[in-house]
Short mmCIF file of all heavy atoms in Angstrom, two decimals:
data_model
loop_
_atom_site.label_atom_id
_atom_site.label_comp_id
_atom_site.label_asym_id
_atom_site.label_seq_id
_atom_site.Cartn_x
_atom_site.Cartn_y
_atom_site.Cartn_z
N LYS N 1 6.92 4.05 17.74
CA LYS N 1 7.32 3.53 19.05
C LYS N 1 8.67 4.13 19.49
O LYS N 1 9.57 3.43 19.95
CB LYS N 1 7.39 2.01 19.03
CG LYS N 1 6.04 1.36 18.80
CD LYS N 1 6.10 -0.13 18.95
CE LYS N 1 4.71 -0.71 18.79
NZ LYS N 1 4.65 -2.14 19.02
N GLY N 2 8.81 5.44 19.30
CA GLY N 2 10.02 6.14 19.72
C GLY N 2 11.17 6.07 18.74
O GLY N 2 12.22 6.66 18.95
N PHE N 3 11.00 5.36 17.64
CA PHE N 3 12.07 5.20 16.65
C PHE N 3 11.78 6.06 15.43
O PHE N 3 10.68 6.05 14.91
CB PHE N 3 12.17 3.72 16.23
CG PHE N 3 13.19 3.47 15.16
CD1 PHE N 3 14.53 3.39 15.47
CD2 PHE N 3 12.80 3.32 13.84
CE1 PHE N 3 15.47 3.16 14.48
CE2 PHE N 3 13.73 3.09 12.84
CZ PHE N 3 15.08 3.01 13.17
N LYS N 4 12.78 6.81 14.99
CA LYS N 4 12.66 7.59 13.75
C LYS N 4 13.66 7.02 12.76
O LYS N 4 14.83 6.82 13.09
CB LYS N 4 12.94 9.06 13.99
CG LYS N 4 11.78 9.76 14.66
CD LYS N 4 11.83 11.24 14.40
CE LYS N 4 10.57 11.86 14.95
NZ LYS N 4 10.20 13.06 14.28
N GLY N 5 13.20 6.78 11.55
CA GLY N 5 14.07 6.20 10.52
C GLY N 5 14.99 7.24 9.90
O GLY N 5 15.04 8.39 10.32
N ASN N 6 15.71 6.81 8.86
CA ASN N 6 16.65 7.69 8.17
C ASN N 6 16.19 8.02 6.75
O ASN N 6 16.96 8.53 5.96
CB ASN N 6 18.04 7.04 8.15
CG ASN N 6 18.08 5.72 7.41
OD1 ASN N 6 17.06 5.08 7.19
ND2 ASN N 6 19.27 5.30 7.03
N CYS N 7 14.94 7.69 6.43
CA CYS N 7 14.41 7.95 5.08
C CYS N 7 13.12 8.77 5.20
O CYS N 7 12.44 8.74 6.22
CB CYS N 7 14.11 6.64 4.36
SG CYS N 7 15.57 5.64 4.09
N SER N 8 12.77 9.45 4.13
CA SER N 8 11.59 10.31 4.09
C SER N 8 10.30 9.51 4.20
O SER N 8 10.20 8.39 3.70
CB SER N 8 11.60 11.10 2.78
OG SER N 8 10.35 11.71 2.56
N VAL N 9 9.29 10.12 4.82
CA VAL N 9 7.97 9.51 4.94
C VAL N 9 7.35 9.29 3.55
O VAL N 9 6.51 8.41 3.37
CB VAL N 9 7.04 10.35 5.84
CG1 VAL N 9 6.67 11.67 5.18
CG2 VAL N 9 5.78 9.58 6.21
N SER N 10 7.80 10.05 2.56
CA SER N 10 7.26 9.88 1.19
C SER N 10 7.54 8.49 0.65
O SER N 10 6.83 8.00 -0.23
CB SER N 10 7.84 10.94 0.25
OG SER N 10 9.23 10.74 0.07
N PHE N 11 8.57 7.81 1.16
CA PHE N 11 8.87 6.44 0.71
C PHE N 11 7.72 5.50 1.04
O PHE N 11 7.43 4.58 0.29
CB PHE N 11 10.15 5.92 1.36
CG PHE N 11 11.38 6.74 1.10
CD1 PHE N 11 12.56 6.43 1.74
CD2 PHE N 11 11.38 7.81 0.22
CE1 PHE N 11 13.70 7.17 1.51
CE2 PHE N 11 12.51 8.55 -0.01
CZ PHE N 11 13.69 8.23 0.63
N ILE N 12 7.08 5.74 2.17
CA ILE N 12 5.94 4.91 2.58
C ILE N 12 4.80 5.12 1.59
O ILE N 12 4.18 4.15 1.14
CB ILE N 12 5.50 5.23 4.02
CG1 ILE N 12 6.62 4.83 5.01
CG2 ILE N 12 4.20 4.52 4.37
CD1 ILE N 12 6.36 5.23 6.45
N GLU N 13 4.52 6.37 1.25
CA GLU N 13 3.45 6.67 0.29
C GLU N 13 3.74 6.04 -1.06
O GLU N 13 2.86 5.46 -1.69
CB GLU N 13 3.26 8.18 0.15
CG GLU N 13 2.75 8.85 1.42
CD GLU N 13 1.46 8.26 1.95
OE1 GLU N 13 0.54 8.01 1.14
OE2 GLU N 13 1.37 8.01 3.17
N GLN N 14 4.98 6.16 -1.53
CA GLN N 14 5.36 5.58 -2.81
C GLN N 14 5.22 4.06 -2.78
O GLN N 14 4.75 3.46 -3.74
CB GLN N 14 6.79 5.96 -3.18
CG GLN N 14 6.95 7.41 -3.53
CD GLN N 14 8.40 7.79 -3.76
OE1 GLN N 14 9.31 6.97 -3.60
NE2 GLN N 14 8.63 9.04 -4.10
N PHE N 15 5.64 3.45 -1.69
CA PHE N 15 5.55 2.00 -1.56
C PHE N 15 4.09 1.54 -1.67
O PHE N 15 3.79 0.58 -2.38
CB PHE N 15 6.15 1.52 -0.24
CG PHE N 15 6.02 0.04 -0.04
CD1 PHE N 15 6.82 -0.85 -0.73
CD2 PHE N 15 5.07 -0.47 0.83
CE1 PHE N 15 6.68 -2.22 -0.56
CE2 PHE N 15 4.92 -1.83 1.01
CZ PHE N 15 5.73 -2.71 0.31
N LYS N 16 3.19 2.25 -1.00
CA LYS N 16 1.77 1.87 -1.05
C LYS N 16 1.25 1.87 -2.48
O LYS N 16 0.45 1.02 -2.85
CB LYS N 16 0.92 2.84 -0.21
CG LYS N 16 1.07 2.66 1.27
CD LYS N 16 0.02 3.39 2.06
CE LYS N 16 -0.04 4.85 1.81
NZ LYS N 16 -0.90 5.59 2.75
N VAL N 17 1.71 2.79 -3.28
CA VAL N 17 1.23 2.91 -4.66
C VAL N 17 1.93 1.90 -5.57
O VAL N 17 1.30 1.30 -6.45
CB VAL N 17 1.47 4.34 -5.19
CG1 VAL N 17 1.15 4.44 -6.67
CG2 VAL N 17 0.63 5.33 -4.40
N LEU N 18 3.22 1.67 -5.38
CA LEU N 18 4.00 0.88 -6.32
C LEU N 18 4.08 -0.62 -6.02
O LEU N 18 4.34 -1.41 -6.91
CB LEU N 18 5.44 1.43 -6.40
CG LEU N 18 5.58 2.85 -6.95
CD1 LEU N 18 6.99 3.35 -6.78
CD2 LEU N 18 5.16 2.88 -8.40
N HIS N 19 3.89 -1.01 -4.78
CA HIS N 19 4.06 -2.42 -4.43
C HIS N 19 3.05 -3.31 -5.14
O HIS N 19 1.86 -3.01 -5.17
CB HIS N 19 3.93 -2.63 -2.92
CG HIS N 19 3.98 -4.07 -2.52
ND1 HIS N 19 5.13 -4.82 -2.59
CD2 HIS N 19 3.02 -4.92 -2.10
CE1 HIS N 19 4.87 -6.06 -2.20
NE2 HIS N 19 3.59 -6.14 -1.90
N GLN N 20 3.54 -4.39 -5.71
CA GLN N 20 2.68 -5.39 -6.31
C GLN N 20 2.89 -6.70 -5.57
O GLN N 20 4.02 -7.20 -5.49
CB GLN N 20 3.01 -5.57 -7.79
CG GLN N 20 2.68 -4.34 -8.60
CD GLN N 20 3.04 -4.50 -10.07
OE1 GLN N 20 3.71 -5.45 -10.46
NE2 GLN N 20 2.61 -3.55 -10.87
N CYS N 21 1.83 -7.24 -5.02
CA CYS N 21 1.94 -8.48 -4.26
C CYS N 21 2.41 -9.62 -5.16
O CYS N 21 2.17 -9.62 -6.36
CB CYS N 21 0.60 -8.84 -3.63
SG CYS N 21 0.18 -7.78 -2.24
N ASN N 22 3.09 -10.58 -4.55
CA ASN N 22 3.55 -11.77 -5.27
C ASN N 22 3.11 -13.00 -4.48
O ASN N 22 2.41 -12.88 -3.48
CB ASN N 22 5.07 -11.70 -5.47
CG ASN N 22 5.81 -11.60 -4.15
OD1 ASN N 22 5.62 -12.40 -3.24
ND2 ASN N 22 6.69 -10.61 -4.03
N LYS N 23 3.54 -14.16 -4.93
CA LYS N 23 3.09 -15.41 -4.28
C LYS N 23 3.51 -15.50 -2.81
O LYS N 23 2.82 -16.11 -2.01
CB LYS N 23 3.58 -16.63 -5.06
CG LYS N 23 5.08 -16.85 -5.03
CD LYS N 23 5.45 -18.10 -5.83
CE LYS N 23 6.95 -18.37 -5.77
NZ LYS N 23 7.31 -19.56 -6.52
N TYR N 24 4.62 -14.85 -2.44
CA TYR N 24 5.07 -14.90 -1.04
C TYR N 24 4.18 -14.02 -0.16
O TYR N 24 3.92 -14.36 0.99
CB TYR N 24 6.54 -14.52 -0.93
CG TYR N 24 7.42 -15.45 -1.74
CD1 TYR N 24 8.02 -15.03 -2.92
CD2 TYR N 24 7.62 -16.77 -1.33
CE1 TYR N 24 8.80 -15.90 -3.68
CE2 TYR N 24 8.39 -17.64 -2.09
CZ TYR N 24 8.98 -17.20 -3.25
OH TYR N 24 9.75 -18.07 -4.00
N CYS N 25 3.71 -12.89 -0.69
CA CYS N 25 2.74 -12.06 0.04
C CYS N 25 1.48 -12.88 0.31
O CYS N 25 0.93 -12.85 1.41
CB CYS N 25 2.38 -10.81 -0.77
SG CYS N 25 3.71 -9.64 -1.04
N GLU N 26 1.04 -13.61 -0.73
CA GLU N 26 -0.16 -14.43 -0.59
C GLU N 26 0.05 -15.55 0.43
O GLU N 26 -0.84 -15.84 1.23
CB GLU N 26 -0.54 -15.02 -1.95
CG GLU N 26 -1.05 -13.98 -2.94
CD GLU N 26 -1.22 -14.52 -4.34
OE1 GLU N 26 -1.21 -15.75 -4.53
OE2 GLU N 26 -1.35 -13.69 -5.27
N MET N 27 1.24 -16.18 0.42
CA MET N 27 1.52 -17.27 1.37
C MET N 27 1.44 -16.78 2.81
O MET N 27 1.02 -17.52 3.69
CB MET N 27 2.90 -17.88 1.09
CG MET N 27 2.94 -18.69 -0.19
SD MET N 27 4.62 -19.24 -0.60
CE MET N 27 4.74 -20.67 0.46
N LEU N 28 1.84 -15.52 3.04
CA LEU N 28 1.79 -14.95 4.38
C LEU N 28 0.43 -14.35 4.71
O LEU N 28 0.21 -13.88 5.82
CB LEU N 28 2.87 -13.88 4.54
CG LEU N 28 4.28 -14.41 4.78
CD1 LEU N 28 5.31 -13.31 4.63
CD2 LEU N 28 4.40 -15.04 6.16
N GLY N 29 -0.48 -14.34 3.74
CA GLY N 29 -1.82 -13.80 3.97
C GLY N 29 -1.85 -12.29 4.09
O GLY N 29 -2.71 -11.73 4.77
N LEU N 30 -0.90 -11.59 3.44
CA LEU N 30 -0.86 -10.13 3.51
C LEU N 30 -1.97 -9.54 2.65
O LEU N 30 -2.28 -10.05 1.57
CB LEU N 30 0.51 -9.62 3.05
CG LEU N 30 1.71 -10.15 3.85
CD1 LEU N 30 3.02 -9.68 3.23
CD2 LEU N 30 1.62 -9.72 5.31
N LYS N 31 -2.53 -8.44 3.11
CA LYS N 31 -3.62 -7.77 2.39
C LYS N 31 -3.04 -6.94 1.25
O LYS N 31 -2.04 -6.24 1.43
CB LYS N 31 -4.39 -6.85 3.34
CG LYS N 31 -5.09 -7.58 4.44
CD LYS N 31 -5.69 -6.60 5.42
CE LYS N 31 -6.16 -7.33 6.67
NZ LYS N 31 -6.08 -6.52 7.86
N SER N 32 -3.68 -6.98 0.10
CA SER N 32 -3.23 -6.23 -1.06
C SER N 32 -3.28 -4.73 -0.78
O SER N 32 -4.27 -4.21 -0.30
CB SER N 32 -4.09 -6.55 -2.28
OG SER N 32 -3.76 -5.67 -3.34
N LEU N 33 -2.19 -4.04 -1.07
CA LEU N 33 -2.15 -2.58 -0.90
C LEU N 33 -2.85 -1.89 -2.05
O LEU N 33 -3.36 -0.79 -1.90
CB LEU N 33 -0.71 -2.10 -0.80
CG LEU N 33 0.12 -2.69 0.33
CD1 LEU N 33 1.54 -2.17 0.28
CD2 LEU N 33 -0.51 -2.38 1.67
N GLN N 34 -2.88 -2.53 -3.22
CA GLN N 34 -3.51 -1.93 -4.39
C GLN N 34 -5.01 -1.76 -4.18
O GLN N 34 -5.55 -0.72 -4.48
CB GLN N 34 -3.24 -2.78 -5.65
CG GLN N 34 -1.78 -2.82 -6.04
CD GLN N 34 -1.18 -1.45 -6.28
OE1 GLN N 34 -1.79 -0.61 -6.93
NE2 GLN N 34 0.00 -1.21 -5.75
N SER N 35 -5.66 -2.77 -3.66
CA SER N 35 -7.11 -2.65 -3.48
C SER N 35 -7.42 -1.59 -2.43
O SER N 35 -8.36 -0.83 -2.58
CB SER N 35 -7.72 -4.00 -3.07
OG SER N 35 -7.17 -4.45 -1.86
N THR N 36 -6.61 -1.49 -1.39
CA THR N 36 -6.81 -0.46 -0.36
C THR N 36 -6.62 0.91 -0.97
O THR N 36 -7.43 1.81 -0.78
CB THR N 36 -5.81 -0.65 0.80
OG1 THR N 36 -5.95 -1.97 1.30
CG2 THR N 36 -6.05 0.35 1.91
N HIS N 37 -5.55 1.07 -1.75
CA HIS N 37 -5.24 2.36 -2.38
C HIS N 37 -6.31 2.73 -3.39
O HIS N 37 -6.76 3.87 -3.44
CB HIS N 37 -3.86 2.30 -3.04
CG HIS N 37 -3.47 3.56 -3.71
ND1 HIS N 37 -3.14 4.69 -3.00
CD2 HIS N 37 -3.38 3.89 -5.02
CE1 HIS N 37 -2.86 5.67 -3.85
NE2 HIS N 37 -3.00 5.20 -5.08
N GLN N 38 -6.76 1.76 -4.17
CA GLN N 38 -7.78 2.04 -5.18
C GLN N 38 -9.11 2.41 -4.54
O GLN N 38 -9.80 3.27 -5.02
CB GLN N 38 -7.94 0.84 -6.11
CG GLN N 38 -6.77 0.68 -7.05
CD GLN N 38 -6.78 -0.66 -7.77
OE1 GLN N 38 -7.59 -1.52 -7.49
NE2 GLN N 38 -5.86 -0.83 -8.71
N LYS N 39 -9.44 1.76 -3.42
CA LYS N 39 -10.69 2.09 -2.73
C LYS N 39 -10.66 3.52 -2.24
O LYS N 39 -11.64 4.24 -2.30
CB LYS N 39 -10.92 1.14 -1.54
CG LYS N 39 -11.39 -0.23 -1.95
CD LYS N 39 -11.55 -1.09 -0.73
CE LYS N 39 -11.80 -2.53 -1.10
NZ LYS N 39 -11.75 -3.42 0.04
N GLN N 40 -9.49 3.96 -1.72
CA GLN N 40 -9.37 5.31 -1.21
C GLN N 40 -9.48 6.33 -2.33
O GLN N 40 -9.97 7.42 -2.14
CB GLN N 40 -8.04 5.50 -0.49
CG GLN N 40 -7.96 4.71 0.80
CD GLN N 40 -6.57 4.73 1.40
OE1 GLN N 40 -5.62 5.20 0.80
NE2 GLN N 40 -6.45 4.22 2.61
N ARG N 41 -8.98 6.01 -3.52
CA ARG N 41 -8.94 6.95 -4.62
C ARG N 41 -10.15 6.83 -5.55
O ARG N 41 -10.28 7.58 -6.48
CB ARG N 41 -7.66 6.74 -5.41
CG ARG N 41 -6.43 6.98 -4.55
CD ARG N 41 -5.25 7.10 -5.40
NE ARG N 41 -5.38 8.27 -6.25
CZ ARG N 41 -4.57 9.29 -6.27
NH1 ARG N 41 -3.55 9.31 -5.49
NH2 ARG N 41 -4.74 10.30 -7.10
N LYS N 42 -11.03 5.86 -5.29
CA LYS N 42 -12.19 5.63 -6.15
C LYS N 42 -13.11 6.84 -6.09
O LYS N 42 -13.43 7.33 -5.01
CB LYS N 42 -12.93 4.38 -5.66
CG LYS N 42 -13.98 3.88 -6.60
CD LYS N 42 -14.56 2.58 -6.07
CE LYS N 42 -15.61 2.05 -7.01
NZ LYS N 42 -16.17 0.81 -6.49
N PRO N 43 -13.54 7.35 -7.25
CA PRO N 43 -14.42 8.51 -7.23
C PRO N 43 -15.76 8.16 -6.57
O PRO N 43 -16.27 7.06 -6.70
CB PRO N 43 -14.61 8.85 -8.71
CG PRO N 43 -14.16 7.67 -9.47
CD PRO N 43 -13.25 6.87 -8.59
N MET N 44 -16.28 9.14 -5.88
CA MET N 44 -17.56 8.95 -5.20
C MET N 44 -18.66 8.88 -6.25
O MET N 44 -18.71 9.69 -7.15
CB MET N 44 -17.84 10.13 -4.26
CG MET N 44 -16.72 10.40 -3.27
SD MET N 44 -16.94 9.72 -1.65
CE MET N 44 -18.55 10.10 -1.18
N SER N 45 -19.52 7.91 -6.13
CA SER N 45 -20.61 7.80 -7.10
C SER N 45 -21.79 8.62 -6.58
O SER N 45 -22.05 8.67 -5.39
CB SER N 45 -21.01 6.34 -7.29
OG SER N 45 -21.50 5.83 -6.09
N THR N 46 -22.47 9.24 -7.50
CA THR N 46 -23.65 10.01 -7.10
C THR N 46 -24.87 9.17 -7.39
O THR N 46 -25.04 8.66 -8.49
CB THR N 46 -23.72 11.35 -7.88
OG1 THR N 46 -23.68 11.04 -9.27
CG2 THR N 46 -22.58 12.27 -7.51
N LYS N 47 -25.69 9.03 -6.40
CA LYS N 47 -26.91 8.24 -6.55
C LYS N 47 -28.06 9.19 -6.89
O LYS N 47 -28.17 10.25 -6.29
CB LYS N 47 -27.22 7.49 -5.25
CG LYS N 47 -26.19 6.45 -4.92
CD LYS N 47 -26.56 5.71 -3.67
CE LYS N 47 -25.52 4.68 -3.33
NZ LYS N 47 -25.82 3.98 -2.10
#
């Protein structure tokens, strides 16, 4: 939205991989980043 931060975009990628939800994330109803990241990296199964 027209704003550029002062840190590298790689911080966002690292956060997605390293963040572990806690009880406060759950209280706010935030979606787990681990399941999203794992789904993206899950190997394709061959049928």
Side-chain angles (χ1 to χ4, degrees):
K1 296 187 176 184
F3 176 79
K4 283 203 174 207
N6 62 341
C7 297
S8 167
V9 69
S10 66
F11 301 174
I12 295 174
E13 294 304 315
Q14 290 174 357
F15 177 75
K16 286 193 303 190
V17 173
L18 296 172
H19 175 71
Q20 294 179 350
C21 287
N22 59 53
K23 67 180 182 179
Y24 300 107
C25 295
E26 291 171 14
M27 289 173 82
L28 281 168
L30 301 175
K31 296 174 191 149
S32 172
L33 301 178
Q34 294 303 315
S35 61
T36 304
H37 179 71
Q38 288 168 353
K39 284 178 189 171
Q40 291 171 352
R41 299 194 64 121
K42 191 175 181 180
M44 306 262 314
S45 64
T46 55
K47 294 182 180 178

